[in-house]
Amino acid sequence: MENRVPTGAEKLIQCLEREGVEYIFGYSGGAAMPIFDALVDSSIELILVRHEQGAAHMADGYARATGKPGVVLVTSGPGATNTVTGLLTSQMDSVPVIVLAGQTISAMLGKDGFQEADVTGITYAVVKHSYLLKDAADIPRATREAFHIATTGRPGPVLIDLPKDVTQGPCEAPFVDEVDLPGYHVPSHGDDVAIRQAAEILSNAKRPVLYVGHGAVISQAGKAVIRLAEKLRAPIVNTLLGKGAADETHPLHLGMLGMHGTAYANKAVDNCDCIMAIGARWDDRITGKLDEFCVDAAKIHIDIDPAEFGKMVTADVAIAGDARLVLEELIPQVSTADTEAWLDQCEQWRKRYPLKYAKQGGLRAQLVLDKLHEVTQGDAVITTDVGQHQMWAAQFCLSTTNRHWISSGGAGTMGFGFPAAIGAQLGCPDKKVWAVCGDGGFQMTQAELATAAIHKLPVKCLVINNNYLGMVRQWQELFFENRLSGVDLVGNPDFVKLAQAYGVKAMRIKRPSDVERILSEAQAYDEGPCLVVAEVVKEDNVFPMIPAGAPLSGMIVEKPKEQMAKPTGST
């Protein structure tokens, strides 16, 4: 190859190697064949998946667990469109993922050639940026720019659409090390005046709350959050995706807030006189009814994306910048506030409204997840699907370490948990990685059992099987007079036998007395993937709960005795 001009595909792979890419998660096909061919001689390991959606979630899980971008390679048409769900997931949760999509030859663009899809247009709303390359000479520049854009500022997915003639033809362009994007600015340190204003508000607050989101995870702001909380004597709450940014076992931490957050976290937010969002975006599952959200509280908002300012909540002080850098400038300027009465009140709420679940009446999902936290000692990387199991895992599996909690928040993507765990396990081979899935979501990407088995990954998957789409059933019970529709998953396979058919070790939990033993056995098994199926009671509900569109004061902590009105907000 020394005296031969590389093809566009070979140049692309060389660019990826220069970016430090370890793995490509992909599924081959005609328009992408030159790229797959170039991978044969590469140091990059191809992880051949069973569906392109799985590839996108694996890359996402790898990126969230490591902080490094995940890379996907698919072919044109349906191959590319099968990644759209994964792109939406990554975009909503600010995850750096690069999707390389093969495309029909340039001369056939727009002519409905075989397996042609306008993937650039289709994905326009779910990527941070995209490229359609019509000249191989653009490959080195576009690749460098894609990695820069995906990983800087507010991270997000970037798509590169690659016509087959571009990757098959020669590419003489040199590598590119520097990017020149005049219209792309990344805030870092916040404005000094705004930081002084925030410090003054926080120092004078009697009932402050620090509200931590995924931006704090991304910027590794956790230690700074703890220092600020200890200096102010202020409680901390976190979003679903903010878990692990600041140690959830810290005495000042009240856990997750929002629709299924702890009652004491929501009580604190509802009664605070100052709330500071740190890398969080005032999601509707956090605020509930906006008109009644923290009406009399001063609001401070730190976010690296200025587009978030005023989108949901108008803050008194908005600071554009990296969460960690802003906090490090803010902390020396705040004074210790008089918050003893406030902290006493928060502790009273903690004691009055603890998380609890029934110990009788069959195997409870909450018990299984409570024990999972004990067995893993809070040190495992945990990924989840979406639904009741996700909320119970968030409540009972307290996270103490950054990047150890991986869940689809904004998009709420069923099928995310298991492939995300595969990506996380590849990125963190020395960590114990558990996927917590529902029986509905697991079946959407269960074919990736083959991917885990082939690579002998010691990833563990806990399927909480209640034979229902449990969260929807809960809503139908509470708000739709228990008129169940489209939620009974009759026809579920025997998940243990299914896993064994893929050559995966599998176990079943039926009794509460078996939970700890079987989870411990799975935790210790490192010879390959392991599936644990917990056959839990069919009808159980997640509490606390704030009905969608209701104010935080409308939170319910147990099943109401009377039928509730239909919620006005989104799910």
Side-chain angles (χ1 to χ4, degrees):
M1 186 184 295
E2 290 182 1
N3 297 320
R4 181 174 65 81
V5 175
T7 66
E10 290 166 343
K11 198 73 177 188
L12 172 67
I13 296 303
Q14 291 167 9
C15 291
L16 298 179
E17 291 171 341
R18 287 168 61 88
E19 296 290 345
V21 174
E22 301 173 282
Y23 301 103
I24 286 180
F25 304 93
Y27 201 91
S28 61
M33 285 179 65
I35 309 173
F36 279 89
D37 180 68
L39 267 174
V40 172
D41 300 318
S42 170
S43 61
I44 300 172
E45 184 175 354
L46 170 66
I47 305 298
L48 178 61
V49 302
R50 291 300 182 266
H51 192 283
E52 291 89 349
Q53 181 183 352
H57 296 329
M58 286 180 205
D60 186 309
Y62 173 89
R64 296 197 207 206
T66 65
K68 298 183 288 188
V71 180
V72 177
L73 173 59
V74 293
T75 192
S76 61
T81 58
N82 281 343
T83 67
V84 173
T85 298
L87 285 167
L88 171 67
T89 306
S90 302
Q91 172 74 347
M92 291 285 280
D93 292 348
S94 307
V95 182
V97 169
I98 311 287
V99 173
L100 308 169
Q103 182 57 280
T104 187
I105 59 174
S106 301
M108 288 297 292
L109 285 172
K111 297 180 180 177
D112 295 334
F114 177 68
Q115 288 193 332
E116 183 193 2
D118 177 10
V119 68
T120 304
I122 290 170
T123 61
Y124 179 77
V126 294
V127 296
K128 186 175 179 183
H129 195 63
S130 58
Y131 296 87
L132 169 58
L133 301 185
K134 296 182 179 178
D135 188 335
D138 292 332
I139 288 176
R141 176 189 56 79
T143 306
R144 180 77 276 277
E145 288 180 2
F147 277 79
H148 177 72
I149 292 170
T151 57
T152 55
R154 181 177 186 168
V158 175
L159 170 83
I160 306 179
D161 201 13
L162 294 147
K164 188 176 180 180
D165 55 308
V166 171
T167 55
Q168 199 158 253
C171 177
E172 298 185 90
F175 294 112
V176 173
D177 293 322
E178 301 294 330
V179 296
D180 181 18
L181 298 169
Y184 180 68
H185 303 288
V186 178
S188 54
H189 296 268
D191 177 73
D192 292 339
V193 173
I195 291 175
R196 282 199 298 274
Q197 291 174 336
E200 183 176 355
I201 292 172
L202 288 167
S203 300
N204 292 324
K206 300 296 184 185
R207 305 187 303 279
V209 169
L210 304 182
Y211 149 49
V212 179
H214 195 209
V217 172
I218 295 167
S219 70
Q220 302 182 70
K223 291 182 179 177
V225 170
I226 296 291
R227 289 205 306 274
L228 178 60
E230 291 178 342
K231 188 171 184 180
L232 281 173
R233 301 292 296 157
I236 305 166
V237 299
N238 58 240
T239 66
L240 175 71
L241 296 189
K243 283 173 65 67
D247 181 354
E248 286 189 297
T249 64
H250 190 280
L252 287 171
H253 210 305
L254 299 178
M256 185 174 73
L257 81 162
M259 181 176 284
H260 291 295
T262 65
Y264 34 95
N266 286 327
K267 288 281 185 183
V269 172
D270 197 34
N271 289 276
C272 71
D273 66 353
C274 172
I275 181 168
M276 182 164 80
I278 304 168
R281 58 187 176 87
W282 314 98
D283 178 80
D284 60 337
R285 283 201 161 192
I286 298 300
T287 63
K289 188 176 182 181
L290 269 175
D291 293 346
E292 298 183 31
F293 177 73
C294 295
V295 176
D296 297 322
K299 302 176 185 68
I300 303 167
H301 192 179
I302 301 171
D303 203 299
I304 203 163
D305 184 0
E308 290 297 334
F309 296 149
K311 190 171 80 176
M312 296 292 290
V313 168
T314 300
D316 298 278
V317 179
I319 307 171
D322 175 88
R324 179 178 61 81
L325 296 177
V326 171
L327 290 182
E328 289 176 348
E329 293 183 26
L330 174 67
I331 290 170
Q333 300 183 46
V334 300
S335 304
T336 300
D338 178 14
T339 62
E340 285 306 310
W342 175 233
L343 293 180
D344 286 345
Q345 176 63 71
C346 291
E347 283 307 305
Q348 289 178 32
W349 284 323
R350 194 199 295 266
K351 293 175 182 175
R352 183 175 178 182
Y353 301 106
L355 291 172
K356 58 185 180 181
Y357 54 88
K359 301 297 194 297
Q360 306 297 325
L363 180 61
R364 303 282 175 171
Q366 301 97 315
L367 170 69
V368 177
L369 294 165
D370 207 0
K371 290 296 181 186
L372 177 64
H373 182 59
E374 289 182 17
V375 167
T376 59
Q377 300 181 333
D379 192 38
V381 176
I382 292 181
T383 72
T384 80
D385 249 36
V386 172
Q388 287 183 315
H389 70 277
Q390 177 191 33
M391 295 299 126
W392 281 321
Q395 291 176 344
F396 290 96
C397 297
L398 299 184
S399 190
T400 62
T401 308
N402 212 33
R403 299 192 180 281
H404 274 44
W405 172 263
I406 296 172
S407 188
S408 174
T413 304
M414 294 179 68
F416 172 82
F418 182 52
I422 293 174
Q425 186 71 81
L426 284 163
C428 304
D430 298 329
K431 291 287 185 180
K432 300 286 187 183
V433 179
W434 281 82
V436 179
C437 302
D439 49 317
F442 177 67
Q443 291 182 80
M444 292 188 174
T445 50
Q446 66 187 17
E448 303 307 341
L449 284 168
T451 308
I454 289 167
H455 295 279
K456 300 186 185 304
L457 294 173
V459 62
K460 297 100 173 57
C461 183
L462 171 61
V463 177
I464 303 295
N465 183 24
N466 61 2
N467 294 285
Y468 267 135
L469 296 180
M471 188 60 86
V472 183
R473 185 208 56 75
Q474 174 173 335
W475 279 51
Q476 291 176 345
E477 175 191 327
L478 294 178
F479 309 116
F480 290 82
E481 301 176 341
N482 203 31
R483 289 160 52 85
L484 303 186
S485 177
V487 293
D488 192 339
L489 292 180
V490 61
N492 272 352
D494 182 325
F495 293 110
V496 169
K497 291 182 178 177
L498 176 77
Q500 290 171 340
Y502 281 101
V504 171
K505 180 181 177 65
M507 296 175 282
R508 192 189 318 274
I509 305 173
K510 286 187 173 181
R511 300 177 302 181
S513 58
D514 292 336
V515 174
E516 186 168 352
R517 175 180 59 81
I518 292 178
L519 291 180
S520 297
E521 185 178 342
Q523 172 81 353
Y525 184 73
D526 287 331
E527 296 174 26
C530 181
L531 185 84
V532 177
V533 183
E535 307 286 359
V536 302
V537 297
K538 289 193 70 172
E539 297 176 351
D540 207 348
N541 292 337
V542 185
F543 294 110
M545 180 180 190
I546 302 170
L552 300 191
S553 60
M555 175 179 61
I556 54 177
V557 295
E558 59 187 9
K559 184 177 178 179
K561 295 179 180 178
E562 298 180 354
Q563 185 69 40
M564 301 185 70
K566 289 184 174 60
T568 58
S570 173
T571 59

